[in-house]
Amino acid sequence: MTSMDVIVSLCKRRGFVFQSSEIYGGTGSCWDFGPLGVELKNNIKRVWWRDFVQERADMVGLDASILMHASVWKASGHVEQFTDPMVDCRECKHRFRADQIDEVPWLHFCPATKGNKFTIPAGEPCKHCGVTRTLCPDCGKGELTPPRQFNLMFKTFMGPVEEDAAVTYLRPETAQGIFVNFDNVLQSMRLKLPFGIAQIGKAFRNEITPGNFIFRVRELEQMEIEFFVNPHDQVDGRPADEDWHDRWIADAQAWYVRYGLDPAHLKLKEHGKDELSHYSKRTVDVLYHFPIGWSELMGIANRTDYDLKQHSKFSGKSLTYFDEERKEHIVPFVVEPSFGVDRAFLAFMLDAYREEEVRGEKRVVLRLHRELAPIKIAVLPLLKKRPEIVATAHGLRGRLSRQWRCVYDDTAAIGRLYRRQDEVGTPYCVTVDVKTVGDREKGEAGDQMVTIRERDSMEQIRVPMADLEAIFGRLMGETAWPEVAAAYPRAEG
Ligand code: ATP
């Protein structure tokens, strides 16, 4: 399995992810997406929006503000309940989430071996003395305080006065922006149940123990859908909300697989009764096999009518839907697939990463889905000393850039240039060579053909320059490489 260190290092080296405020020592809980990272992240969001909003007749979008009325968070239950249990070490003062403390290796000074120091795998007892962890896992010495509830919301002040009345919070989830706009969207778009409202945006959580790269951050991005259904409707003899919940669980997993995740790296986790959030009737997490172990990639909750009812109670406004058939006002139930952009980014990177051996040399390749790849086409000149080759390559980059993210690179020999593009997941390279442009001194005309190289197979074909838009139109669409390649002569590798 790909290790986190390998991905962290690739991300930094190749401009995907940098530590936030690195020149000041970094924050450890926030990350900046570099030139290639922002492309990958935008692509994830773009395909998500296309697949779940644009292509569906039962979905609309929204972009609500991050700062909201303070009452929103009282109504939603976040002020009271959006907490994690926290414990502190009395010696080293480190802070841990009480429910995750046995998920990290622990330091132990073993009494059965004259106090020798051991690092013991998470959750396991000491092999020598048999005890399980009770002290601080970091220093191995300090007693831990009893758990206290810690609210994860970032508090801030709205307006120029710092007084209690002006207190509000940075949103810890995008969902509430959808609930408070339920009636606005319903009325303006004349929607009929079932329908969904989707939103992509930042959320903020003052996590007790951020870490594992972008897996747990304090500033995160979510892609959320609130899918409203009529709880009185039945599908195959079951309440509609339960049926839609199962459908969303299946659709969400299929989405990750469609963009490259190995189905064997995904599994479902049903929340037990004691784990359910205060609003939830049933929650299922999709877990991904991260290097830190099976961990939550996204969650799909049946939030019932809890949020709409709460906001109606706190605001005094009716948030109901009129069921024309039954002639009754109802409060819809809502199923919420909540995708995390950062965790999706990490999972796609991990699953795409391969180290291969090609002709005795190591090749690192990111087999990213073509729609996710940050750069779609790299245009490379075979010889940078020949002005006609360079000019033709620049021209091609300009032409193709109107439709796809393209780069030009002439800073190394061709083999090296190919490896660089492989390492960042560029699905296609186009190479311009002497034959393309000809040789005026020798009186040789160019053939106006270029080489296209495919990342995964490393196969190369020779194609007319004039056909490039048509060829890439097919390749970036649904046509597979072998079908396109079959129509053209192979070029030498
Ligand atoms: P966890 O149990 O890992 O703290 P959660 O159950 O609190 O996560 P949800 O409230 O269900 O998470 O949030 C929905 C999704 O938002 C998560 O599945 C994840 O993809 C993303 N997410 C939540 N918190 C973070 C975070 N701190 N960093 C990165 N992504 C996050």
Side-chain angles (χ1 to χ4, degrees), residues 82 84 97 99-100 152 172-173 204-205 207 210-211 213-224 256 271 277 279 283 285-286 295-301 303 336-344:
F82 195 60
D84 275 336
R97 240 173 87 171
D99 57 336
Q100 288 178 350
L152 300 184
E173 60 175 24
F204 302 82
R205 298 180 179 190
E207 298 279 0
F213 193 37
I214 55 173
F215 178 82
R216 189 175 300 285
V217 287
R218 292 199 170 114
E219 179 178 336
L220 55 130
E221 202 161 3
Q222 294 184 312
M223 306 185 281
E224 292 196 304
Y256 287 106
H271 280 217
S277 306
Y279 50 72
T283 296
D285 289 340
V286 177
S295 311
E296 178 176 335
L297 179 60
M298 69 166 304
I300 304 140
R303 293 178 80 128
E336 175 192 74
S338 178
F339 298 67
V341 179
D342 311 82
R343 289 186 193 175

Side-chain angles (χ1 to χ4, degrees), residues 188-347:
S188 58
M189 305 306 289
R190 298 157 196 266
L191 298 168
K192 292 265 171 286
L193 286 177
F195 68 84
I197 305 178
Q199 172 163 230
I200 300 179
K202 291 263 176 142
F204 302 82
R205 298 180 179 190
N206 199 5
E207 298 279 0
I208 297 167
T209 43
N212 292 316
F213 193 37
I214 55 173
F215 178 82
R216 189 175 300 285
V217 287
R218 292 199 170 114
E219 179 178 336
L220 55 130
E221 202 161 3
Q222 294 184 312
M223 306 185 281
E224 292 196 304
I225 294 164
E226 303 304 327
F227 198 81
F228 298 97
V229 301
N230 189 332
H232 299 158
D233 285 349
Q234 297 267 318
V235 182
D236 297 334
R238 284 201 309 162
D241 57 301
E242 294 179 11
D243 183 71
W244 275 103
H245 197 179
D246 283 338
R247 279 209 233 178
W248 277 110
I249 294 166
D251 288 356
Q253 288 181 96
W255 186 82
Y256 287 106
V257 172
R258 173 171 175 192
Y259 293 103
L261 294 197
D262 181 346
H265 293 165
L266 295 174
K267 72 176 181 189
L268 298 179
K269 180 180 162 250
E270 190 86 35
H271 280 217
K273 286 268 171 291
D274 53 331
E275 281 175 287
L276 283 179
S277 306
H278 57 280
Y279 50 72
S280 177
K281 169 172 164 185
R282 178 186 174 213
T283 296
V284 172
D285 289 340
V286 177
L287 308 186
Y288 173 75
H289 199 229
F290 286 100
I292 49 171
W294 287 100
S295 311
E296 178 176 335
L297 179 60
M298 69 166 304
I300 304 140
N302 182 344
R303 293 178 80 128
T304 68
D305 54 7
Y306 178 86
D307 299 273
L308 289 180
K309 278 194 170 154
Q310 284 292 103
H311 286 304
S312 183
K313 188 167 130 196
F314 277 69
S315 67
K317 301 275 173 352
S318 153
L319 296 175
T320 55
Y321 171 87
F322 186 65
D323 179 347
E324 302 275 359
E325 256 173 55
R326 299 185 183 93
K327 303 284 178 236
E328 60 180 1
H329 288 275
I330 57 129
V331 180
F333 266 37
V334 67
V335 174
E336 175 192 74
S338 178
F339 298 67
V341 179
D342 311 82
R343 289 186 193 175
F345 184 112
L346 184 56

